[in-house]
Coordinates of all heavy atoms in Angstrom, one line a residue:
M1 N -55.0 71.9 172.3 CA -54.7 72.2 170.9 C -54.2 73.7 170.8 O -54.7 74.6 171.4 CB -55.9 72.0 170.0 CG -55.8 72.6 168.6 SD -57.4 72.4 167.7 CE -57.1 73.6 166.4
M2 N -53.1 73.8 170.0 CA -52.6 75.1 169.8 C -53.3 75.8 168.6 O -53.4 75.2 167.5 CB -51.1 75.0 169.5 CG -50.3 76.3 169.5 SD -48.5 76.1 169.2 CE -48.5 75.8 167.5
S3 N -53.7 77.0 168.8 CA -54.3 77.7 167.7 C -53.7 79.1 167.6 O -53.6 79.8 168.6 CB -55.8 77.9 168.0 OG -56.5 78.5 166.8
V4 N -53.2 79.4 166.4 CA -52.4 80.6 166.3 C -53.0 81.5 165.1 O -53.3 81.0 164.1 CB -50.9 80.3 165.9 CG1 -50.1 81.6 165.8 CG2 -50.3 79.4 167.0
S5 N -53.2 82.7 165.4 CA -53.6 83.7 164.4 C -52.6 84.9 164.3 O -53.0 85.9 164.8 CB -55.0 84.2 164.7 OG -55.9 83.1 164.8
P6 N -51.5 84.6 163.8 CA -50.4 85.7 163.9 C -50.8 86.8 162.9 O -51.6 86.6 162.0 CB -49.1 85.0 163.5 CG -49.5 83.5 163.4 CD -51.0 83.4 163.2
K7 N -50.0 87.9 163.0 CA -50.2 89.1 162.2 C -49.7 88.9 160.8 O -50.3 89.2 159.8 CB -49.6 90.3 162.8 CG -50.2 90.6 164.2 CD -51.1 91.8 164.1 CE -51.5 92.3 165.4 NZ -52.0 91.3 166.4
G8 N -48.5 88.4 160.7 CA -47.8 88.3 159.4 C -47.6 86.9 158.9 O -47.6 85.9 159.7
T9 N -47.4 86.8 157.6 CA -47.3 85.4 157.0 C -46.0 84.8 157.5 O -45.9 83.6 157.8 CB -47.2 85.6 155.5 OG1 -48.5 86.1 155.0 CG2 -47.0 84.3 154.8
R10 N -44.9 85.6 157.6 CA -43.6 85.0 158.0 C -43.7 84.4 159.5 O -43.3 83.3 159.7 CB -42.5 86.0 158.0 CG -42.0 86.3 156.6 CD -40.8 87.1 156.6 NE -39.7 86.5 157.4 CZ -38.4 87.0 157.4 NH1 -38.1 88.1 156.7 NH2 -37.5 86.4 158.1
Q11 N -44.4 85.2 160.3 CA -44.6 84.7 161.7 C -45.5 83.5 161.7 O -45.2 82.5 162.5 CB -45.3 85.9 162.5 CG -45.3 85.7 164.0 CD -46.1 86.7 164.7 OE1 -46.5 87.7 164.1 NE2 -46.3 86.5 166.0
A12 N -46.5 83.4 160.9 CA -47.4 82.3 160.8 C -46.6 81.1 160.3 O -46.8 80.0 160.8 CB -48.6 82.6 159.9
R13 N -45.8 81.3 159.3 CA -45.0 80.1 158.8 C -44.1 79.6 159.8 O -43.9 78.4 159.9 CB -44.2 80.5 157.5 CG -45.1 80.6 156.3 CD -44.2 80.6 155.0 NE -45.1 80.7 153.8 CZ -45.4 79.7 153.1 NH1 -44.9 78.5 153.4 NH2 -46.2 79.8 152.0
R14 N -43.5 80.5 160.6 CA -42.6 80.1 161.6 C -43.3 79.3 162.7 O -42.8 78.2 163.2 CB -41.9 81.3 162.3 CG -40.4 81.1 162.5 CD -39.7 82.3 163.0 NE -39.6 83.3 162.0 CZ -39.7 84.6 162.2 NH1 -40.0 85.1 163.5 NH2 -39.6 85.5 161.3
A15 N -44.5 79.7 163.0 CA -45.3 79.0 164.0 C -45.7 77.6 163.5 O -45.8 76.7 164.2 CB -46.6 79.8 164.3
W16 N -46.0 77.5 162.2 CA -46.4 76.3 161.6 C -45.2 75.3 161.6 O -45.3 74.1 162.0 CB -46.8 76.5 160.1 CG -47.1 75.2 159.4 CD1 -46.4 74.8 158.2 CD2 -48.1 74.2 159.6 NE1 -46.9 73.6 157.8 CE2 -47.9 73.2 158.7 CE3 -49.0 74.1 160.7 CZ2 -48.7 72.1 158.6 CZ3 -49.8 72.9 160.6 CH2 -49.7 72.0 159.6
V17 N -44.0 75.8 161.3 CA -42.8 74.9 161.3 C -42.5 74.4 162.7 O -42.2 73.3 163.0 CB -41.6 75.6 160.7 CG1 -40.3 74.9 161.0 CG2 -41.8 75.8 159.2
A18 N -42.7 75.4 163.7 CA -42.5 75.0 165.1 C -43.5 74.0 165.6 O -43.1 73.0 166.3 CB -42.6 76.3 165.9
A19 N -44.7 74.1 165.1 CA -45.7 73.1 165.5 C -45.4 71.8 164.9 O -45.6 70.7 165.6 CB -47.1 73.6 165.0
C20 N -45.0 71.7 163.7 CA -44.6 70.5 163.0 C -43.4 69.8 163.8 O -43.4 68.6 164.0 CB -44.2 70.7 161.6 SG -45.6 71.1 160.5
R21 N -42.4 70.6 164.1 CA -41.2 70.1 164.8 C -41.6 69.5 166.1 O -41.1 68.5 166.6 CB -40.2 71.2 165.0 CG -39.5 71.6 163.7 CD -38.1 72.0 164.0 NE -37.4 72.3 162.8 CZ -37.0 73.5 162.4 NH1 -37.3 74.6 163.2 NH2 -36.4 73.7 161.3
K22 N -42.6 70.2 166.8 CA -43.0 69.8 168.1 C -43.8 68.5 168.1 O -43.6 67.6 168.9 CB -43.8 70.9 168.8 CG -44.2 70.6 170.2 CD -45.1 71.7 170.7 CE -45.7 71.3 172.1 NZ -46.8 72.2 172.4
H23 N -44.7 68.3 167.1 CA -45.6 67.2 167.1 C -45.2 66.1 166.2 O -45.6 64.9 166.5 CB -47.0 67.7 166.7 CG -47.6 68.7 167.6 ND1 -48.1 68.2 168.9 CD2 -47.9 70.0 167.6 CE1 -48.6 69.3 169.5 NE2 -48.5 70.4 168.8
I24 N -44.5 66.3 165.1 CA -44.2 65.2 164.2 C -42.9 64.5 164.7 O -41.9 65.1 164.7 CB -44.0 65.8 162.8 CG1 -45.3 66.4 162.3 CG2 -43.6 64.6 161.9 CD1 -45.2 67.0 160.9
K25 N -43.1 63.3 165.1 CA -42.0 62.5 165.6 C -41.8 61.4 164.6 O -42.7 60.9 163.9 CB -42.3 61.9 167.0 CG -42.7 62.9 168.0 CD -41.4 63.5 168.6 CE -41.8 64.3 169.9 NZ -42.5 65.6 169.5
R26 N -40.6 61.0 164.5 CA -40.2 59.9 163.5 C -41.0 58.6 163.9 O -41.1 58.2 165.0 CB -38.7 59.6 163.6 CG -38.2 58.8 162.5 CD -36.7 58.6 162.7 NE -35.9 59.8 162.5 CZ -35.4 60.1 161.3 NH1 -35.5 59.3 160.3 NH2 -34.7 61.2 161.2
G27 N -41.6 58.0 162.9 CA -42.3 56.8 163.1 C -43.8 57.0 163.5 O -44.5 56.0 163.7
K28 N -44.2 58.2 163.8 CA -45.6 58.4 164.2 C -46.4 58.9 163.0 O -45.9 59.7 162.2 CB -45.6 59.5 165.3 CG -45.5 58.9 166.7 CD -45.7 60.0 167.7 CE -47.1 60.2 168.0 NZ -47.3 61.2 169.1
L29 N -47.6 58.5 163.0 CA -48.5 58.9 161.9 C -49.2 60.2 162.3 O -49.5 60.5 163.4 CB -49.6 57.8 161.7 CG -49.2 56.6 160.9 CD1 -50.4 55.6 161.0 CD2 -49.0 57.0 159.5
Y30 N -49.4 61.0 161.2 CA -50.1 62.2 161.4 C -50.7 62.6 160.1 O -50.4 62.1 159.1 CB -49.1 63.3 161.9 CG -48.1 63.7 160.9 CD1 -48.3 64.7 160.0 CD2 -46.9 62.9 160.8 CE1 -47.3 65.0 159.0 CE2 -46.0 63.2 159.9 CZ -46.1 64.2 159.0 OH -45.2 64.5 158.1
H31 N -51.6 63.6 160.2 CA -52.3 64.1 159.0 C -52.1 65.6 159.0 O -52.1 66.3 160.0 CB -53.8 63.8 159.0 CG -54.1 62.3 159.1 ND1 -54.0 61.5 158.1 CD2 -54.5 61.6 160.2 CE1 -54.3 60.3 158.5 NE2 -54.6 60.3 159.7
V32 N -51.9 66.1 157.8 CA -51.9 67.6 157.6 C -53.0 68.0 156.7 O -53.2 67.4 155.6 CB -50.5 68.0 157.0 CG1 -50.6 69.5 156.7 CG2 -49.4 67.7 157.9
E33 N -53.8 68.9 157.1 CA -55.0 69.3 156.4 C -54.8 70.8 156.0 O -54.5 71.6 156.8 CB -56.2 69.1 157.2 CG -57.5 69.2 156.5 CD -58.7 68.9 157.5 OE1 -58.8 67.8 157.9 OE2 -59.4 69.9 157.9
F34 N -55.0 71.1 154.7 CA -55.0 72.5 154.3 C -56.4 72.9 153.9 O -57.1 72.2 153.1 CB -54.1 72.7 153.0 CG -52.6 72.6 153.4 CD1 -52.0 71.3 153.5 CD2 -51.9 73.7 153.6 CE1 -50.7 71.3 153.8 CE2 -50.6 73.6 153.9 CZ -50.0 72.4 154.0
Q35 N -56.9 73.9 154.6 CA -58.3 74.3 154.3 C -58.2 75.6 153.4 O -57.9 76.7 153.9 CB -59.0 74.7 155.7 CG -59.1 73.4 156.5 CD -59.6 73.7 157.9 OE1 -59.7 74.9 158.3 NE2 -59.9 72.7 158.7
H36 N -58.6 75.4 152.2 CA -58.5 76.4 151.2 C -59.8 77.2 151.1 O -60.9 76.7 151.3 CB -58.2 75.8 149.8 CG -56.8 75.2 149.7 ND1 -55.6 75.8 149.5 CD2 -56.5 73.9 149.9 CE1 -54.6 75.0 149.5 NE2 -55.1 73.8 149.7
D37 N -59.6 78.4 150.6 CA -60.8 79.2 150.3 C -61.6 78.6 149.1 O -60.9 77.9 148.3 CB -60.4 80.6 149.9 CG -59.9 81.5 151.0 OD1 -60.2 81.1 152.2 OD2 -59.3 82.5 150.8
P38 N -62.9 78.7 149.1 CA -63.6 78.1 148.0 C -63.2 78.6 146.6 O -63.3 77.8 145.7 CB -65.1 78.5 148.3 CG -65.1 78.8 149.8 CD -63.8 79.3 150.1
D39 N -62.7 79.8 146.6 CA -62.3 80.4 145.3 C -60.8 80.2 145.0 O -60.2 80.8 144.1 CB -62.7 81.8 145.2 CG -62.1 82.7 146.3 OD1 -61.5 82.1 147.2 OD2 -62.1 83.9 146.2
C40 N -60.1 79.3 145.8 CA -58.7 79.1 145.7 C -58.4 78.4 144.3 O -59.2 77.5 143.9 CB -58.1 78.3 146.8 SG -56.4 77.9 146.7
M41 N -57.3 78.8 143.7 CA -57.0 78.1 142.4 C -56.6 76.7 142.5 O -56.3 76.0 141.5 CB -55.9 79.0 141.6 CG -56.4 80.3 141.2 SD -57.6 80.3 139.9 CE -56.6 80.0 138.5
I42 N -56.4 76.2 143.7 CA -56.0 74.8 143.9 C -57.2 73.9 143.4 O -56.9 72.8 143.0 CB -55.8 74.5 145.4 CG1 -54.9 73.2 145.6 CG2 -57.1 74.4 146.2 CD1 -53.5 73.5 145.7
Y43 N -58.4 74.4 143.3 CA -59.5 73.7 142.8 C -59.7 73.8 141.3 O -60.5 73.2 140.7 CB -60.8 74.1 143.5 CG -60.7 73.9 145.0 CD1 -60.8 74.9 145.9 CD2 -60.6 72.6 145.5 CE1 -60.8 74.7 147.3 CE2 -60.5 72.4 146.9 CZ -60.6 73.5 147.8 OH -60.6 73.2 149.1
S44 N -58.8 74.6 140.7 CA -58.9 74.7 139.2 C -57.9 73.6 138.6 O -57.3 72.9 139.3 CB -58.4 76.1 138.8 OG -57.0 76.2 138.9
H45 N -57.9 73.6 137.3 CA -57.0 72.6 136.7 C -55.5 72.9 136.9 O -54.7 72.0 136.7 CB -57.3 72.5 135.2 CG -57.0 73.7 134.4 ND1 -57.9 74.7 134.3 CD2 -55.9 74.0 133.7 CE1 -57.3 75.7 133.5 NE2 -56.1 75.3 133.2
E46 N -55.2 74.2 137.2 CA -53.8 74.5 137.5 C -53.3 74.0 138.8 O -52.1 73.8 139.0 CB -53.7 76.0 137.4 CG -53.7 76.6 136.0 CD -53.9 78.1 136.0 OE1 -53.0 78.8 136.5 OE2 -54.9 78.6 135.6
Q47 N -54.2 73.8 139.8 CA -53.9 73.2 141.1 C -52.8 74.0 141.8 O -51.9 73.4 142.3 CB -53.6 71.8 141.0 CG -54.8 70.9 140.5 CD -54.5 69.4 140.5 OE1 -53.4 69.0 140.5 NE2 -55.5 68.7 140.4
V48 N -52.9 75.3 141.7 CA -51.9 76.2 142.4 C -52.7 76.9 143.5 O -53.6 77.6 143.2 CB -51.2 77.1 141.4 CG1 -50.3 78.0 142.2 CG2 -50.4 76.3 140.4
C49 N -52.2 76.9 144.7 CA -52.8 77.6 145.8 C -52.6 79.1 145.7 O -51.5 79.5 145.6 CB -52.3 77.1 147.1 SG -53.0 77.9 148.5
T50 N -53.7 79.8 145.7 CA -53.6 81.3 145.7 C -54.3 81.9 146.9 O -54.4 83.1 146.9 CB -54.3 81.8 144.4 OG1 -55.6 81.3 144.3 CG2 -53.6 81.4 143.1
C51 N -54.6 81.1 147.8 CA -55.3 81.7 149.0 C -54.4 81.6 150.2 O -53.3 81.2 150.2 CB -56.6 80.9 149.3 SG -56.4 79.3 150.1
N52 N -55.0 82.1 151.3 CA -54.3 82.1 152.6 C -54.8 80.9 153.4 O -55.7 81.1 154.3 CB -54.6 83.4 153.3 CG -53.4 83.9 154.1 OD1 -52.5 83.1 154.4 ND2 -53.4 85.1 154.6
S53 N -54.4 79.7 153.0 CA -55.0 78.5 153.5 C -54.7 78.3 155.0 O -53.7 78.8 155.5 CB -54.5 77.3 152.8 OG -53.1 77.2 152.7
V54 N -55.6 77.7 155.7 CA -55.5 77.3 157.1 C -54.8 76.0 157.2 O -55.3 75.0 156.5 CB -56.8 77.3 157.9 CG1 -56.6 76.9 159.3 CG2 -57.5 78.7 157.8
R55 N -53.7 75.9 158.0 CA -53.0 74.6 158.1 C -53.5 73.9 159.5 O -53.3 74.6 160.5 CB -51.5 74.8 158.1 CG -51.0 75.2 156.8 CD -49.8 76.2 156.9 NE -49.1 76.4 155.7 CZ -49.5 77.2 154.8 NH1 -50.6 77.9 154.9 NH2 -48.8 77.4 153.7
V56 N -53.9 72.7 159.4 CA -54.3 71.9 160.6 C -53.4 70.7 160.6 O -53.4 69.9 159.7 CB -55.8 71.6 160.6 CG1 -56.1 70.9 161.9 CG2 -56.6 72.8 160.4
L57 N -52.8 70.5 161.7 CA -52.0 69.3 162.0 C -52.8 68.3 162.9 O -53.2 68.8 163.9 CB -50.6 69.6 162.6 CG -49.6 68.5 162.8 CD1 -49.2 67.9 161.5 CD2 -48.4 69.0 163.6
K58 N -53.0 67.1 162.4 CA -53.8 66.1 163.2 C -53.0 64.9 163.5 O -52.1 64.5 162.7 CB -55.1 65.8 162.4 CG -56.0 67.0 162.2 CD -57.2 66.5 161.5 CE -58.2 67.7 161.3 NZ -59.4 67.3 160.6
D59 N -53.3 64.2 164.6 CA -52.7 62.9 164.9 C -53.4 61.8 164.1 O -54.3 62.1 163.3 CB -52.6 62.7 166.4 CG -53.9 62.4 167.0 OD1 -54.9 62.2 166.3 OD2 -54.0 62.5 168.2
A60 N -52.9 60.6 164.3 CA -53.4 59.5 163.5 C -54.9 59.2 163.7 O -55.6 58.6 162.9 CB -52.6 58.2 163.8
Q61 N -55.4 59.7 164.9 CA -56.8 59.5 165.2 C -57.6 60.7 164.7 O -58.8 60.7 164.9 CB -57.0 59.4 166.7 CG -56.6 58.0 167.3 CD -55.1 57.8 167.4 OE1 -54.4 58.7 167.8 NE2 -54.6 56.7 167.0
G62 N -57.0 61.6 164.0 CA -57.7 62.7 163.5 C -57.9 63.9 164.5 O -58.7 64.8 164.2
R63 N -57.3 63.8 165.6 CA -57.5 64.9 166.6 C -56.5 66.0 166.2 O -55.3 65.8 166.0 CB -57.1 64.4 168.0 CG -58.2 63.4 168.6 CD -57.7 62.9 170.0 NE -56.5 62.2 169.8 CZ -56.2 61.1 170.6 NH1 -57.1 60.7 171.4 NH2 -55.1 60.5 170.4
P64 N -57.0 67.2 166.2 CA -56.2 68.4 165.8 C -55.1 68.7 166.9 O -55.4 68.7 168.1 CB -57.2 69.5 165.7 CG -58.4 69.1 166.4 CD -58.4 67.6 166.4
L65 N -53.9 68.8 166.4 CA -52.8 69.1 167.3 C -52.5 70.6 167.3 O -52.1 71.2 168.3 CB -51.6 68.3 166.9 CG -51.7 66.8 167.0 CD1 -50.5 66.1 166.3 CD2 -51.8 66.3 168.4
A66 N -52.6 71.2 166.1 CA -52.2 72.6 165.9 C -53.0 73.1 164.7 O -53.3 72.4 163.7 CB -50.7 72.8 165.7
C67 N -53.3 74.4 164.8 CA -54.1 75.0 163.7 C -53.4 76.4 163.5 O -53.4 77.2 164.4 CB -55.5 75.1 164.1 SG -56.5 76.0 162.9
I68 N -52.9 76.6 162.3 CA -52.2 77.9 162.0 C -52.9 78.6 160.9 O -53.1 78.1 159.8 CB -50.7 77.6 161.6 CG1 -50.1 76.7 162.6 CG2 -50.0 79.0 161.5 CD1 -49.8 77.3 163.9
E69 N -53.4 79.8 161.2 CA -54.0 80.6 160.1 C -53.0 81.6 159.5 O -52.1 82.0 160.2 CB -55.2 81.4 160.7 CG -56.3 80.6 161.3 CD -57.3 81.4 162.0 OE1 -57.4 82.6 161.8 OE2 -58.1 80.8 162.8
G70 N -53.2 82.0 158.3 CA -52.5 83.2 157.8 C -51.1 82.9 157.4 O -50.3 83.8 157.2
A71 N -50.7 81.6 157.1 CA -49.4 81.3 156.7 C -49.1 81.4 155.2 O -48.1 81.0 154.7 CB -49.0 79.9 157.2
G72 N -50.1 81.9 154.5 CA -49.9 82.2 153.1 C -50.3 81.0 152.2 O -50.9 80.0 152.6
E73 N -49.8 81.1 151.0 CA -50.1 80.1 150.0 C -49.4 78.8 150.3 O -48.3 78.8 150.8 CB -49.7 80.6 148.6 CG -50.6 81.8 148.2 CD -49.8 82.7 147.1 OE1 -48.8 82.2 146.6 OE2 -50.3 83.8 146.8
Y74 N -50.1 77.7 149.9 CA -49.6 76.4 150.1 C -48.4 76.1 149.2 O -48.5 76.3 148.0 CB -50.7 75.4 149.9 CG -50.2 74.0 149.7 CD1 -49.6 73.3 150.8 CD2 -50.5 73.2 148.6 CE1 -49.1 72.0 150.6 CE2 -50.0 71.9 148.4 CZ -49.4 71.3 149.5 OH -48.9 70.1 149.3
D75 N -47.3 75.7 149.8 CA -46.1 75.3 149.0 C -45.8 73.9 149.3 O -45.6 73.5 150.5 CB -45.0 76.2 149.5 CG -43.7 75.9 148.8 OD1 -43.6 74.9 148.0 OD2 -42.7 76.6 149.0
P76 N -45.8 73.0 148.3 CA -45.6 71.6 148.5 C -44.3 71.3 149.2 O -44.1 70.3 149.9 CB -45.6 71.0 147.1 CG -46.3 71.9 146.3 CD -46.1 73.3 146.9
L77 N -43.3 72.2 149.1 CA -42.0 72.0 149.7 C -41.9 72.3 151.2 O -41.0 71.9 151.9 CB -40.9 72.8 149.0 CG -40.6 72.3 147.6 CD1 -39.6 73.3 147.0 CD2 -40.0 70.9 147.6
E78 N -42.9 73.0 151.7 CA -42.8 73.5 153.1 C -42.8 72.4 154.1 O -42.2 72.5 155.2 CB -43.9 74.5 153.4 CG -45.3 73.9 153.5 CD -46.3 75.0 153.7 OE1 -46.3 76.0 153.0 OE2 -47.2 74.8 154.6
M79 N -43.6 71.3 153.8 CA -43.6 70.2 154.8 C -42.2 69.5 154.8 O -41.8 69.1 155.9 CB -44.6 69.2 154.4 CG -46.1 69.6 154.7 SD -46.3 70.3 156.4 CE -45.9 68.8 157.3
V80 N -41.5 69.5 153.7 CA -40.2 68.9 153.7 C -39.3 69.7 154.5 O -38.5 69.2 155.4 CB -39.7 68.8 152.2 CG1 -38.3 68.1 152.2 CG2 -40.7 68.0 151.4
E81 N -39.3 71.0 154.4 CA -38.5 71.9 155.1 C -38.9 71.8 156.6 O -38.0 71.9 157.5 CB -38.6 73.3 154.6 CG -38.1 73.5 153.2 CD -38.5 74.8 152.6 OE1 -39.2 75.6 153.4 OE2 -38.3 75.0 151.4
G82 N -40.2 71.7 156.9 CA -40.7 71.8 158.2 C -40.2 70.7 159.2 O -40.1 71.0 160.3
V83 N -40.0 69.5 158.6 CA -39.7 68.4 159.5 C -38.2 68.1 159.5 O -37.8 67.1 160.2 CB -40.5 67.2 159.2 CG1 -42.0 67.4 159.4 CG2 -40.2 66.7 157.7
Q84 N -37.4 68.8 158.8 CA -36.0 68.5 158.8 C -35.3 68.9 160.1 O -35.8 69.9 160.8 CB -35.3 69.2 157.7 CG -35.3 68.3 156.4 CD -34.7 69.0 155.2 OE1 -34.4 70.2 155.3 NE2 -34.7 68.3 154.1
Ligands
ZN1 ZN1 -55.4 77.7 148.6

């Protein structure tokens, strides 16, 4: 399992996209888990991520493939960009 704790958000995002490109294959099942801080606004009625969530990519059996810390706030569009 790849575990990355980069210094900067941009570097972390790049590592996350690279991990998605490497592991996500067409027709294969996978899970993406975002681990938010307990005080993240994603848990409020606004449902907007305000924390530095940890991104975990898992295969269909739930085994972690990659874990990226420090990639910044969760953006719903990033997965779309990540697998193109
Ligand atoms: Zn969050």
Side-chain angles (χ1 to χ4, degrees):
M1 170 183 162
M2 189 176 79
S3 188
V4 182
S5 303
K7 299 256 187 313
T9 298
R10 280 189 63 172
Q11 194 186 349
R13 280 196 182 262
R14 224 175 289 145
W16 173 242
V17 170
C20 289
R21 285 210 178 112
K22 185 182 170 198
H23 291 290
I24 296 176
K25 305 276 191 288
R26 194 180 290 266
K28 271 187 82 175
L29 280 172
Y30 64 93
H31 302 285
V32 177
E33 194 176 288
F34 287 85
Q35 297 171 350
H36 296 274
D37 287 346
D39 58 351
C40 179
M41 291 294 279
I42 201 91
Y43 299 118
S44 76
H45 67 275
E46 287 167 63
Q47 297 185 343
V48 177
C49 176
T50 54
C51 77
N52 214 345
S53 54
V54 177
R55 289 148 170 79
V56 184
L57 184 65
K58 295 179 176 181
D59 67 13
Q61 284 77 43
R63 288 178 299 217
L65 299 168
C67 176
I68 312 288
E69 296 173 20
E73 294 157 12
Y74 165 61
D75 177 355
L77 290 174
E78 70 181 48
M79 285 311 296
V80 181
E81 295 165 5
V83 294
Q84 272 176 356

